[in-house]
Amino acid sequence: MPKEQSFAQRLIAWQQAAGRHDLPWQGSRDPYRVWLSEIMLQQTQVATVIPYYQRFLSSFPDVVALAAAPIERVVEHWAGLGYYARARNLHRCAQQIVAQHGGAFPRTAAELAELPGIGRSTAAAIAAFSFGERAAILDGNVKRVLCRVFGIAGFPGSAPVERKLWQLAESLLPETGIEAYTQGLMDLGATLCTRGTPHCPACPFADACVARREGRQKTLPEARPRAPVPERSATFVLITDGQRLLLERRPPSGLWGGLLVPPEGEPEQVLAARGLCALAQRKLPDLKHAFTHFRLTLQPVVCRVQVPATTGETGSAWLPLSEAAAAGVPTPIARLIRLVASAPD
């Protein structure tokens, strides 16, 4: 590309020629679809998001339908996508848009950022794609691009470096073509300027990138200072009669909020609290699962019981073993359920 072109001009030209143009949420200025895709894409790769996005839209085609849906149904559609606070905020946001804005999305990034679950960068993306507002985005991919191209040192999540990156991001905005520019930043970070092995020769900034010139692609952006990752453990009691499994819905907030999981606690206490008695009991191998801020060791115990005539309390349900793994449960719990279903005895 011509060297005299600005950062924005190069990026727009590259996006139009080599960027992504066939994603299911592209080609629409519907703020509902843009918002949904942006929330799902937080901390999650495009390939993972696409089937969730399509299934979500088929069940909740607009913000009014989402606002009217029970939170349990929304969370079930999110099961397996992770970071479940996003689903709860999505529902709260939809209800607020309907109640306070008559079902119409605010049209500016500043107003959008006031809604639940929408931060500054996400608000800018929604405003740019839906309403053409000239607003800067700064998600993880964009931080990586800017740190490498301009040689920005320091951890980009720290307050001083982040302020510097926001100033830079705003200074680079084009006067026109904000949609292609914003999409170009996303595409460049996702497809070429990747975390592990960037594809520098195909980059529109290959001749100007500080990181490439100095051989610092592996060290920019700088990593977060390491801190010990907390370790936690929890016992989950998979109660089954050989055909069905007892699951309980978690509280709306907290770990796996709103999802179905087996009861947690010591098996004897869990069974006694439900008026059940184990006919047989066996421990499954521990299962480790990493969250953003800690690692959890799941200690599963399978208890075979005879189900009484009255089957329990509010928030609990006996589900067929063959269906339970698909019933809105967290990913590691689905793995345990499939293990039990393959050998229920």
Side-chain angles (χ1 to χ4, degrees), residues 319-340:
L319 299 180
L321 267 174
S322 59
E323 301 174 8
V329 300
T331 299
I333 297 298
R335 291 172 60 186
L336 294 179
I337 292 173
R338 284 193 287 268
L339 187 60
V340 175

Side-chain angles (χ1 to χ4, degrees), residues 18 23 32 122 131 143 191 235 258 277 286 331:
L23 300 176
Y32 175 72
T122 300
F131 309 116
K143 288 179 179 179
T191 64
T235 299
C277 183
D286 290 352
T331 299

Side-chain angles (χ1 to χ4, degrees), residues 161-283:
V161 178
E162 189 166 42
R163 280 196 299 270
K164 184 175 184 178
L165 288 169
W166 272 116
Q167 291 169 356
L168 176 60
E170 290 175 341
S171 74
L172 296 171
L173 288 173
E175 293 298 327
T176 60
I178 188 64
E179 297 92 336
Y181 174 81
T182 303
Q183 187 65 53
L185 278 175
M186 295 176 174
D187 291 350
L188 190 63
T191 64
L192 294 185
C193 196
T194 55
R195 181 180 291 111
T197 307
H199 306 284
C200 295
C203 177
F205 305 107
D207 65 326
C209 177
V210 173
R212 184 174 190 242
R213 184 172 65 244
E214 299 178 357
R216 299 167 64 197
Q217 299 98 318
K218 299 286 188 181
T219 57
L220 287 178
E222 293 184 14
R224 179 194 300 271
R226 289 283 182 182
V229 179
E231 298 275 355
R232 302 181 192 174
S233 63
T235 299
F236 288 91
V237 187
L238 293 106
I239 303 172
T240 177
D241 63 357
Q243 300 296 322
R244 296 175 296 168
L245 183 74
L246 180 65
L247 295 177
E248 298 180 339
R249 195 170 297 281
R250 300 280 286 201
S253 60
L255 180 65
W256 294 328
L259 295 181
L260 291 167
V261 299
E264 181 182 347
E266 292 302 315
E268 294 75 14
Q269 297 175 3
V270 168
L271 292 171
R274 291 155 183 78
L276 299 171
C277 183
L279 303 176
Q281 181 174 313
R282 63 188 172 98
K283 190 178 185 310

Side-chain angles (χ1 to χ4, degrees), residues 22-37:
D22 58 353
L23 300 176
W25 45 83
Q26 290 180 309
S28 170
R29 283 185 170 266
D30 180 357
Y32 175 72
R33 292 174 178 244
V34 174
W35 165 64
L36 178 60
S37 68

